[in-house]
Amino acid sequence: MSKLLAANFSRMKKDVSFWIISAAVLMISISEVINNAYIDATVYPEDGETILNFLLFQTIPAMGMVYAIFIAMFIGKEYSNGTIRNKLIVGHTRTNIYLANFITCLTGSLIIYSMIFIGDFGVGIPLLGGWKGKISELITYIIVGVCLSAALVSLLTVFSMLCTRRSVTAVTAMVFAFALMLTASIIYKRLAEPEMTQDLLALTIDGVPELSEPRPNPLYVSGNLRKIYEFLMQFLPTGQGILLAQQKITNPVLNIICSIIITVAANFCGLFVFRKKNLK
């Protein structure tokens, strides 16, 4: 295992796509801070300042797509270059190969994840000030982000390790990551629907809206279905990402446990199938 990890990390350090992705995430984080600081100072100065808390986790919901690109390209090269076959020929087990790739992809993904904080803290603290609130809360959010990243990486590793064609792997992994993100977004939007709704009737001379009497909102989710939706938001890594971006993490222990379950289950299933896969 140690030799496999050493070889993987050596290849990752030389992987141009990995560093491009890392740099892109870093630049996006920096640009978000600078853009919001500029808007606060020049466009809407009367609205008050944007604090760093509002920006720190905004890119988390889309990180699944970023991880998908990195993992699909990194593992895809293993197949296209015949590296996996060579590893088997020299005596490495499929279990060690799979786990080494997962650990490498997780490490690379967490480095990409850390670019968010390097950019936001490095530029955000001078422009917007530091984190407002308890440091323990910030650390909890970061840990939840690490665990949901591990869950996403484990799921994406399954796709990448079981598909031998790099182009197909990249498309499949990105579609899967997008589907997870879209599912969580739809669920969150449905849960955000109010129980009662009102229609806009007219505006007074002073611009005050006149509203109709409150009536039941047909889009409001209630009963057992609401409980299922709430559980899915807590369980899915992309759901946790949205809650993290909105800073609505209410049960971090549950989120961490769910991420661990997904990580272990995905690796177990992926490893089981990979051990039986016919590698041409």
Side-chain angles (χ1 to χ4, degrees), residues 67 71 102 105-106 109 148-158:
Y67 297 156
I71 294 170
F102 167 71
C105 290
L106 177 58
S109 296
L148 74 86
S149 294
L152 286 170
V153 171
S154 66
L155 293 170
L156 294 167
T157 300
V158 173

Side-chain angles (χ1 to χ4, degrees), residues 7 18 38 57-58 61 63 77 79 82 84 125 136 157 255 262:
F18 166 69
Y38 171 78
F57 298 97
Q58 289 301 306
M63 289 306 290
K77 290 180 181 179
Y79 283 110
I84 288 184
I125 290 177
S136 60
T157 300
N255 297 141
I262 292 173

Side-chain angles (χ1 to χ4, degrees), residues 78-91:
E78 292 260 292
Y79 283 110
S80 62
N81 296 338
T83 307
I84 288 184
R85 285 188 60 198
N86 293 337
K87 290 177 179 178
L88 290 171
I89 291 172
V90 298

Side-chain angles (χ1 to χ4, degrees), residues 85-99:
R85 285 188 60 198
N86 293 337
K87 290 177 179 178
L88 290 171
I89 291 172
V90 298
H92 294 293
T93 65
R94 294 193 181 210
T95 299
N96 286 345
I97 292 172
Y98 187 98
L99 293 178

Side-chain angles (χ1 to χ4, degrees), residues 5 23 37 53 55 59 66 76 82-83 86 99 103 108-109 111 134 141 144 158 164 167 200 206 217 228 264 266:
L5 287 173
N53 299 41
L55 303 176
T59 55
V66 178
T83 307
N86 293 337
L99 293 178
I103 293 171
S109 296
I111 291 173
K134 297 179 179 178
Y141 287 167
V144 171
V158 173
T164 57
S167 58
L200 176 63
D206 299 329
N217 182 2
I228 293 173
V264 173

Side-chain angles (χ1 to χ4, degrees), residues 71-236:
I71 294 170
M73 296 183 68
F74 183 83
I75 295 181
K77 290 180 181 179
E78 292 260 292
Y79 283 110
S80 62
N81 296 338
T83 307
I84 288 184
R85 285 188 60 198
N86 293 337
K87 290 177 179 178
L88 290 171
I89 291 172
V90 298
H92 294 293
T93 65
R94 294 193 181 210
T95 299
N96 286 345
I97 292 172
Y98 187 98
L99 293 178
N101 280 345
F102 167 71
I103 293 171
T104 306
C105 290
L106 177 58
T107 303
S109 296
L110 291 181
I111 291 173
I112 296 171
Y113 172 71
S114 69
M115 293 298 111
I116 296 173
F117 305 102
I118 293 174
D120 285 349
F121 284 130
V123 180
I125 290 177
L127 293 179
L128 303 175
W131 174 266
K132 304 296 191 300
K134 297 179 179 178
I135 297 299
S136 60
E137 185 179 43
L138 172 60
I139 294 173
T140 299
Y141 287 167
I142 292 175
I143 293 173
V144 171
V146 169
C147 292
L148 74 86
S149 294
L152 286 170
V153 171
S154 66
L155 293 170
L156 294 167
T157 300
V158 173
F159 279 90
S160 301
M161 288 297 293
L162 300 184
C163 185
T164 57
R165 297 178 59 186
R166 184 166 59 176
S167 58
V168 176
T169 300
V171 173
T172 304
M174 289 182 64
V175 169
F176 176 71
F178 179 76
L180 278 179
M181 183 176 64
L182 182 62
T183 300
S185 298
I186 292 173
I187 293 174
Y188 182 78
K189 184 178 180 181
R190 289 299 306 275
L191 288 174
E193 289 287 345
E195 186 174 1
M196 306 297 290
T197 186
Q198 293 176 282
D199 295 325
L200 176 63
L201 299 178
L203 290 175
T204 64
I205 298 177
D206 299 329
V208 178
E210 292 184 358
L211 303 176
S212 65
E213 290 296 322
R215 57 184 176 80
N217 182 2
L219 297 178
Y220 178 75
V221 180
S222 61
N224 291 331
L225 182 59
R226 187 171 190 87
K227 293 180 180 179
I228 293 173
Y229 278 11
E230 289 174 343
F231 172 76
L232 288 174
M233 284 300 296
Q234 299 288 340
F235 182 76
L236 293 173

